């Protein structure tokens, strides 16, 4: 039985801890905050409740697998999963709208044809077929296996089978997501639909490789789910599964260093001066935090190195408490697209790193009585991508307060009576994310993607320090709830089976 010390109680770290504990190891988690979940938090006030991190769950099979592998009770016995239908309502710049059914290609094609015009659904449907090819080609190496030592193969090869097209008398293939939209979808509303999936992860579609087509495909193929009571309930269930498997948690326990002996991780030093001995150390913190804890750095093993993906984007979240009941039939999720997408991208990803006045806003309106004081009220969450903010000055807070007002104005296109019903609102900035996760500037990691010379790959789960492993959104296979859970499975496999582990079959 090995002693395993885990730094942080985020979703990936807890997923690894539960798997290692059920294999018979003694696992202890040290978390500097007073609670678990990492970015998966909850805000409560006056009987209202809000998720302040992810609000929806794609690919629930990852957590179903975790619960199957760590106990008798399946995931559905611990939380209530609700399939969101429609998966999203989209409000485009020209005022047209479309509601897309959940996990139905035929239904999506029909809905697009009816809302945007004949032929639009067929083009999107054909795109999804090609996106499936990219998914099939990258699923195992990007999600289910440790990062290959020869990771350059993933960096150099574009898995998306772009359609050849003529341009300037030459045959070309789309290399970026924006080029896929321009060449294969053509309708600006379909382009906005496509690019919104990259933008949600803080990726500039003009530079993001075509392989990002897997992002809308993943949602289309496996559906979007809501956890009754909020995604925080999923974090609670994973935490309770860890406790049931005898994982020990120490909250308010800040780690000040990783101990090494003979070139191998040997435990942790805590900020209070105490020492924890361990045979393995699993780190679930942001890369910059881990770099400060390890003497000599944490470069991944392998032929060449993959630098940790440094996110430049964060999220602004506005929590709205409304009087009046949620209208029957209201969409759970509405994406209100920017009136000028190019200006939005220039503001976000330009050298100045600013914020567009009328940005793309995601409006979440869960039909969940557990989030409101009574049926006569509604809780709504607005989110928008913003630049990460290393500066945490008071001036920044004022900027975000003004930007939050802009988000509310944009959201009125989805909820026309929003301001008339508004009781109060709370603003969650990148500084709040930085405080909760330790990520510099409140940056939010994106999922790993192939091509683009490897700049959208994440550091491998193994490190240059023997016995030290990384887990969570900032390590392979990247950000997002499913990817965090997958990282936990990969780290557990590497510890239990050694470096020859190649993923579940």
């Amino acid at each position: 039985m090995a002693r395993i010390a885990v730094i942080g109680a985020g979703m990936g770290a807890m997923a690894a801890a539960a798997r290692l504990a059920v294999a018979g190891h003694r696992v202890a988690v040290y978390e500097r905050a007073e609670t678990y979940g990492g970015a998966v938090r909850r805000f409560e006030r006056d009987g209202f409740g809000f998720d302040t991190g992810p609000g929806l769950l794609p690919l629930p099979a990852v957590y179903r697998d975790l619960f199957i592998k760590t106990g008798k009770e399946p995931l559905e016995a611990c939380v209530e999963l609700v399939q969101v239908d429609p998966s999203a309502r989209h409000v485009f710049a020209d005022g047209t709208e479309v509601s897309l059914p959940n996990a139905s290609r035929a239904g999506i094609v029909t809905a697009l044809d009816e809302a945007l015009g004949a032929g639009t659904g067929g083009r999107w449907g054909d795109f999804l077929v090609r996106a499936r090819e990219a998914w099939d080609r990258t699923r195992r190496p990007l999600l289910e296996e440790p990062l290959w030592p020869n990771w350059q193969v993933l960096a150099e090869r574009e898995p998306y089978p772009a359609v050849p097209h003529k341009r300037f008398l030459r045959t070309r293939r789309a290399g970026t997501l924006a080029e896929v939209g321009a060449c294969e979808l053509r309708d600006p509303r379909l382009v906005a639909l496509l690019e919104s999936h990259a933008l949600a992860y803080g990726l500039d579609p003009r530079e993001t490789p075509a392989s990002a087509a897997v992002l809308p495909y993943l949602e289309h193929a496996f559906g979007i789910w809501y956890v009754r009571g909020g995604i925080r309930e999923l974090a609670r269930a994973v935490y309770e599964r860890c406790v049931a498997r005898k994982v020990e948690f120490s909250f308010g326990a800040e780690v000040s260093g990783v101990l090494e002996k003979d070139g191998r991780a040997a435990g942790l030093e805590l900020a209070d001066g105490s020492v924890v001995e361990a045979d393995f150390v699993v780190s679930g913190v942001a890369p910059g935090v881990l770099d400060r804890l390890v003497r000599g750095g944490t470069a991944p093993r392998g032929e060449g190195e993959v630098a940790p993906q440094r996110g430049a984007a964060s999220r602004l979240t506005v929590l709205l408490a409304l009087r009046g009941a949620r209208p029957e039939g209201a969409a759970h999720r509405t994406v209100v697209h920017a009136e000028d997408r190019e200006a939005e991208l220039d503001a976000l990803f330009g050298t100045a790193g600013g914020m567009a006045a009328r940005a793309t806003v995601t409006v979440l309106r869960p039909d969940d009585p557990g989030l409101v004081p009574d049926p006569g009220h509604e809780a709504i969450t607005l989110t928008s991508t913003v630049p990460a903010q290393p500066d945490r000055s008071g001036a920044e807070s004022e900027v975000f307060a003004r930007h939050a007002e802009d988000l509310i104005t944009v959201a009125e296109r989805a909820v026309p009576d929003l301001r008339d019903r508004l009781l109060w609102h709370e603003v969650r900035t990148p500084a709040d994310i930085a405080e909760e996760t330790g990520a510099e500037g409140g940056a939010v990691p994106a999922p790993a993607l192939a091509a683009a010379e490897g700049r959208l790959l994440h550091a491998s789960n193994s490190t240059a320090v023997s016995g030290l492993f990384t887990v969570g959104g900032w390590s392979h296979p990247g950000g997002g709830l499913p990817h965090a859970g997958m990282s936990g499975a990969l780290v557990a496999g590497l510890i239990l089976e050694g470096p020859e582990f190649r993923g579940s079959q």
Side-chain angles (χ1 to χ4, degrees):
M1 179 176 66
R3 300 165 300 175
I4 301 173
V6 181
I7 309 173
M11 297 299 284
M14 291 196 295
R19 290 176 182 270
L20 290 166
V22 82
H25 296 300
R26 194 170 73 194
V27 184
V29 177
Y30 299 88
E31 168 58 57
R32 67 180 179 90
E34 297 297 334
T35 187
Y36 53 83
V40 182
R41 299 292 182 93
R42 183 181 178 90
F43 177 85
E44 295 180 341
R45 174 182 164 186
D46 300 340
F48 291 87
F50 306 86
D51 282 319
T52 59
L56 295 170
L57 176 65
L59 205 57
V62 172
Y63 288 92
R64 289 190 178 113
D65 181 71
L66 171 65
F67 277 72
I68 289 171
K69 299 290 176 57
T70 60
K72 295 180 180 179
E73 304 85 5
L75 176 62
E76 280 81 353
C78 303
V79 298
E80 182 182 352
L81 289 178
V82 181
Q83 193 169 21
V84 176
D85 201 5
S87 66
R89 169 188 171 215
H90 289 266
V91 179
F92 296 106
D94 65 355
T96 56
E97 301 182 13
V98 63
S99 293
L100 301 180
N102 203 336
S104 170
R105 180 178 178 274
I108 290 173
V109 168
T110 299
L112 289 172
D113 276 342
E114 292 178 351
L116 308 185
T120 54
R123 290 199 295 276
W124 184 260
D126 291 343
F127 158 75
L128 289 177
V129 171
R130 293 187 292 274
R132 177 180 178 177
E133 287 191 45
W135 169 260
D136 290 341
R137 293 171 181 174
T138 60
R139 176 178 56 87
R140 283 199 62 80
L142 277 183
L143 301 180
E144 299 175 0
E145 299 176 345
L147 192 64
W148 295 342
N150 61 333
W151 57 267
Q152 292 90 344
V153 175
L154 288 171
E156 297 166 358
R157 184 178 301 166
E158 172 54 70
Y160 178 78
V163 176
H165 63 281
K166 289 284 189 181
R167 187 178 182 187
F168 302 128
L169 303 180
R170 295 180 60 186
T171 300
R172 299 175 180 268
R173 293 179 184 269
T176 67
L177 203 65
E179 290 172 349
V180 170
C183 301
E184 300 177 12
L185 300 178
R186 300 189 294 278
D187 188 295
R189 296 161 298 183
L190 292 183
V191 172
L193 172 59
L194 172 65
E195 294 185 349
S196 66
H197 289 272
L199 188 61
Y201 286 104
L203 299 173
D204 185 347
R206 301 170 300 185
E207 297 183 359
T208 301
S211 64
V214 300
L215 299 177
Y217 174 77
L218 186 150
E219 182 175 310
H220 155 74
F222 304 105
I224 284 290
W225 301 74
Y226 174 68
V227 179
R228 185 72 67 188
I231 295 295
R232 177 66 178 176
E233 285 298 291
L234 178 64
R236 174 199 56 78
V238 176
Y239 167 72
E240 291 180 354
R241 176 55 52 91
C242 287
V243 172
R245 300 285 80 82
K246 309 301 182 185
V247 175
E248 298 178 2
F249 284 82
S250 295
F251 295 107
E254 184 173 359
V255 175
S256 59
V258 175
L259 301 178
E260 297 180 47
K261 184 177 181 180
D262 300 326
R264 179 179 176 84
L268 304 175
E269 182 176 359
L270 303 183
D272 63 7
S274 60
V275 170
V276 176
E277 294 183 349
D279 301 298
F280 297 94
V281 173
V282 176
S283 172
V285 298
V289 177
L290 183 59
D291 289 343
R292 294 192 291 271
L293 301 181
V294 179
R295 184 181 303 170
T298 58
R301 293 176 180 158
E303 301 172 9
E305 298 179 358
V306 180
Q309 186 190 80
R310 303 292 182 178
S314 185
R315 294 192 185 105
L316 181 66
T317 303
V318 185
L319 314 176
L320 307 175
L322 273 63
R323 64 172 64 86
R326 177 183 186 272
E328 185 175 354
H332 188 123
R333 175 176 58 164
T334 299
V335 180
V336 183
H337 293 268
E339 296 175 1
D340 187 337
R341 173 57 55 82
E342 199 66 24
E344 177 184 32
L345 298 179
D346 286 341
L348 277 174
F349 303 108
T351 55
M355 291 172 283
R358 295 292 183 266
T360 297
V361 177
T362 297
V363 182
L364 295 183
R365 308 180 72 180
D367 183 10
D368 191 339
L371 301 183
V372 290
D374 56 62
H377 293 85
E378 183 179 8
I380 292 181
T381 302
L382 312 180
T383 58
S384 185
T385 298
V386 298
Q389 299 289 324
D391 174 25
R392 303 182 188 181
S393 65
E396 175 202 273
S397 298
E398 294 179 7
V399 169
F400 281 120
R402 291 195 298 270
H403 194 55
E405 290 293 331
D406 288 337
L407 264 60
I408 294 173
T409 298
V410 172
E412 288 183 285
R413 295 174 59 198
V415 188
D417 58 352
L418 181 57
R419 288 195 184 272
D420 292 337
R421 298 172 56 199
L422 186 60
L423 294 171
W424 50 260
H425 72 274
E426 289 278 344
V427 180
R428 307 284 294 181
T429 72
D432 295 305
I433 298 175
E435 176 63 27
E436 293 170 355
T437 68
E440 183 178 356
V444 177
L449 294 172
E453 300 179 340
R455 60 183 172 82
L456 293 179
L457 295 176
H458 291 263
S460 63
N461 308 105
S462 301
T463 72
V465 180
S466 180
L468 172 63
F469 299 86
T470 65
V471 73
W474 292 103
S475 59
H476 181 72
L481 280 172
H483 297 73
M486 292 172 191
S487 75
L490 293 175
V491 166
L494 287 166
I495 291 176
L496 297 174
E497 299 185 26
E500 66 277 5
F501 174 68
R502 289 295 176 265
S504 58
Q505 301 299 321

